[in-house]
Amino acid sequence: MPDNLTWFITGTSRGIGLEFVRQLVAEPTNLVIATCRTPDKATELNDLKSGAKGELHILPLDTSSMEAIEGVVGHVQGILGDRGLDYLINNAAVNLADDRAFNFKPDDLLKTFNVNVVGPAHLAQVLLPFIEKSQKKFILNFSTGLASMGLDHEPKAATYSISKTGISMLTHKQAKTKPELTVIAVDPGWVKTVMGGAGALIEPAESVEALLALMARSTPAESGKFFTRTGTEIPW
Ligand SMILES: NC(=O)c1ccc[n+]([C@@H]2O[C@H](COP(=O)([O-])OP(=O)(O)OC[C@H]3O[C@@H](n4cnc5c(N)ncnc54)[C@H](OP(=O)(O)O)[C@@H]3O)[C@@H](O)[C@H]2O)c1
């Protein structure tokens, strides 16, 4: 019998986040809390409710608002009751410009850092009691190969890459602080989404299938590491 699992995902209006919800609600054993900035406008997400075999709850959440992050806790408590949260997926992110180190707008870096690092970090703080109560105790943080100094992607996408290096270090610190959790950073591949663009290499479905398989086989032994979707370790 597959386990009954609970999931909390950010940025599910489109792209990789939406695809996570699509694949997860196809299983009757999953309870999915899908969050996005404006659920009223998230047509494709709302459409998943009708065919869902699992339980789907949609909540509004702007991950740049610390107030909103704190406000979501009561709703999560109401949905989960006595259950814990098996998986927190910090997917929501922005990439505001293909800027460079000496020309980016300081305000772009602040905004990007807020959504891509501060939000995921604070969300993990407020949801930690639910995660600790669960069976899987898993946090998936979205990074990118662009944030790897070892891979050396040179000057492009400065603010985005700086922010994603921040979530990579957050992953390392979370893993070292709570060894009983499994916290990994991932690069989903170059995916055909609004962020990835039409020239990207793979569909969201392929990326998410691989990421779910990676999550299913990851344990605290892999915690604090950075992986491609297929599980190859990426240098920091
Ligand atoms: N696509 C790629 O090739 C690629 C490569 C490497 C890493 N990644 C990472 O993969 C993750 C998913 O990216 P994607 O390709 O699916 O991007 P996407 O198509 O641009 O989708 C981004 C999602 O994040 C949401 N979002 C943005 N700001 C938000 C905020 N303040 N609060 C809540 N949600 C917010 C968007 O919601 P709205 O609809 O409200 O804007 C949208 O649902 C990101 O972390 C990205 O950095 C992607």
Side-chain angles (χ1 to χ4, degrees):
M1 272 279 283
D3 296 329
N4 287 306
L5 297 170
T6 58
W7 306 75
F8 185 105
I9 312 167
T10 62
T12 61
S13 61
R14 57 186 157 92
I16 294 170
L18 176 66
E19 183 59 30
F20 260 110
V21 181
R22 195 191 315 279
Q23 294 193 20
L24 288 172
V25 298
E27 292 296 330
T29 46
N30 288 326
L31 181 157
V32 181
I33 304 175
T35 70
C36 64
R37 278 197 276 208
T38 36
D40 289 351
K41 291 185 184 162
T43 314
E44 284 185 83
L45 177 62
N46 283 299
D47 286 351
L48 293 178
K49 271 189 176 163
S50 57
K53 293 185 181 150
E55 206 176 316
L56 173 59
H57 300 264
I58 300 174
L59 296 179
L61 182 63
D62 180 334
T63 61
S64 68
S65 163
M66 299 312 117
E67 205 183 346
I69 286 172
E70 283 152 27
V72 92
V73 175
H75 296 287
V76 171
Q77 178 71 75
I79 293 166
L80 293 180
D82 289 338
R83 297 181 70 178
L85 179 65
D86 291 290
Y87 292 98
L88 165 60
I89 302 182
N90 274 317
N91 164 75
V94 289
N95 179 6
L96 298 178
D98 182 15
D99 47 18
R100 299 289 183 270
F102 294 104
N103 74 3
F104 69 74
K105 297 182 190 144
D107 195 44
D108 277 358
L109 180 57
L110 285 169
K111 282 183 187 152
T112 305
F113 211 79
N114 211 25
V115 178
N116 294 6
V117 187
V118 186
H122 194 38
L123 196 54
Q125 291 173 337
V126 301
L127 295 181
L128 184 63
F130 301 100
I131 296 168
E132 287 189 309
K133 222 164 92 171
S134 76
Q135 189 195 335
K136 300 291 180 185
K137 302 180 178 45
F138 206 115
I139 301 176
L140 184 77
N141 289 325
F142 271 84
S143 187
T144 166
L146 289 174
S148 162
M149 285 175 246
L151 293 183
D152 187 8
H153 282 282
E154 301 196 335
K156 65 185 172 193
T159 50
Y160 176 70
S161 303
I162 294 166
S163 76
K164 290 292 188 177
T165 304
I167 202 163
S168 293
M169 182 53 87
L170 172 71
T171 302
H172 179 71
K173 294 293 184 194
Q174 287 173 332
K176 293 290 168 191
T177 309
K178 295 274 176 190
E180 67 277 24
L181 307 187
T182 304
V183 191
I184 60 171
V186 289
D187 177 340
W190 190 15
V191 188
K192 292 178 190 175
T193 62
V194 171
M195 191 183 292
L201 296 177
I202 58 170
E203 296 294 337
E206 183 182 340
S207 175
V208 170
E209 274 163 30
L211 288 167
L212 286 172
L214 173 66
M215 293 166 82
R217 64 179 187 268
S218 297
T219 68
E222 281 75 45
S223 200
K225 295 180 181 170
F226 182 15
F227 295 106
T228 65
R229 69 185 184 284
T230 52
T232 302
E233 200 172 341
I234 302 175
W236 296 117

